[in-house]
Amino acid sequence: MTPAAVLCGIGSCLPARRVGNDELAGVLDTSDEWIRSRTGIGGRHWADPDTATSDLAVGAGRRALASCAPEDRPGVDAVVVATTTPDRSCPATAPLVAARLGLGPVAAYDVAAVCTGFVYALASASGLIAAGIAERVLVIGADTFSSILDPADRTTSVIFGDGAGAVVLRAGHPDEPGALGAFDLGSDGDGYDLITVRGGGSEQHLSAAAPEPGRAYFTMDGKAVFRHAVERMSRSSRTVLDRAGWELSGLDWMVGHQANRRILDRLADDLGVPRERSVGNIAEVGNTSAASIPLALDDARGAGLLKPGDRVLLTAFGGGLTWGSATLTWPGPDRFVS
Ligand code: ACO
């Protein structure tokens, strides 16, 4: 039997500083009413300048490891960090996170798929487990988008927040609660420019011949992206449910990437999933990119929404363009100690 990846630990970490809509309305031409009605966001957390993505990733990773039952705790043998805002462009952030968590000389690498990063990282970690390369993998989605936002751009500054979420996966049986089932991943590079940071890579060096100001900032064509997000997540969700042999009507929860409440509502309507079954925390944390799905999952667990054996659909969309979905049955009550 090919082992399945089974969720056995979860944790998250937010920077302390909460930035409410009114604070942004004090410095940008925007309002609490616009932000809430167009995005569903009431506030977000932004890291202080001396807090890096690895700090948030370590915080979430430590909590995820501590939440594992004692028999699941030892022997993480790989760390995968999904991020668009690594501490440095070279090397990856994951080796630093593994070292700071005291995990020893384990495999550690980053995955870059913007807001789809966590689902891509889950798929990669599941592959390590299925191939027998790893027994236990710590998967972290962590982003510090405040470090790449243009503070003068009201179309992006109001949307993104910082944070990290992490899960521990172990090798187990495909039929046991906690098992990740099917995956669907995709991309469309024709939409490469719709969500981007143009400067700082090999295409446009941040060197002596400095690029135009603003080229190091994140930009997004929100209107075009909105339509793609609904279409792609909807199609990917149907594909992954089909692969898992699950009916839409048998779904207990949908945890979509927290990009915009209106996108999540449209997605739920399109799939015929009752909106109250689409869990999320966008009102509290905004769009936290790769951290969004594990943060939402951890919040839903904290709120007692997820019951053992519940059928959960994860679906995400982001820059690249990229998208991805996965099915997960929620683990039994004895799995987590905190
Ligand atoms: N405050 C007030 N007005 C604003 C703001 C703001 N913060 N931002 C934009 N506006 C204005 C615009 O200038 C525009 O004014 P105009 O009509 O005079 O030109 C008007 O509001 C409407 O702008 P739209 O862009 O059409 O607003 P929309 O309703 O589409 O909302 C948003 C914008 C929130 C960005 C939405 O398009 C969205 O959520 N898009 C998808 C985001 C997403 O899914 N991203 C993918 C993942 S992110 C990742 O991968 C990193």
Side-chain angles (χ1 to χ4, degrees), residues 193-268:
D193 286 332
L194 294 177
I195 296 171
T196 191
V197 178
R198 284 174 196 274
S202 59
E203 182 189 289
Q204 221 185 87
H205 302 190
L206 287 183
S207 61
E212 303 156 33
R215 288 253 141 176
Y217 287 133
F218 172 88
T219 60
M220 177 170 75
D221 180 343
K223 216 180 230 342
V225 168
F226 193 111
R227 182 175 51 79
H228 281 291
V230 177
E231 276 176 24
R232 296 298 192 179
M233 283 194 284
S234 176
R235 216 179 305 162
S236 178
S237 297
R238 288 179 196 279
T239 301
V240 84
L241 292 179
D242 203 39
R243 281 185 192 154
W246 288 9
E247 299 289 337
L248 268 163
S249 56
L251 211 55
D252 294 297
W253 300 105
M254 179 172 81
V255 183
H257 166 51
Q258 305 291 296
N260 183 322
R261 190 70 248 171
R262 286 159 52 222
I263 290 178
L264 291 166
D265 287 347
R266 283 233 198 131
L267 177 63

Side-chain angles (χ1 to χ4, degrees), residues 29-30 34 38-39 114-115 145 154-155 158-160 195 218 220 222-223 225-226 229 257 259-260 262-263 287 317-319:
D29 181 14
T30 189
W34 192 95
R38 306 305 293 168
T39 71
V114 200
C115 297
F145 253 64
R154 68 177 180 173
T155 68
V158 304
I159 293 171
F160 291 92
I195 296 171
F218 172 88
M220 177 170 75
K223 216 180 230 342
V225 168
F226 193 111
H257 166 51
N260 183 322
R262 286 159 52 222
I263 290 178
N287 179 344
F317 174 86

Side-chain angles (χ1 to χ4, degrees), residues 146-205:
S146 62
S147 65
I148 54 170
L149 291 174
D150 177 351
D153 181 2
R154 68 177 180 173
T155 68
T156 52
S157 281
V158 304
I159 293 171
F160 291 92
D162 302 335
V167 297
V168 183
L169 303 178
R170 64 166 169 83
H173 195 280
D175 293 334
E176 70 177 293
L180 280 157
F183 280 92
D184 175 64
L185 304 176
S187 77
D188 176 6
D190 287 343
Y192 190 63
D193 286 332
L194 294 177
I195 296 171
T196 191
V197 178
R198 284 174 196 274
S202 59
E203 182 189 289
Q204 221 185 87
H205 302 190

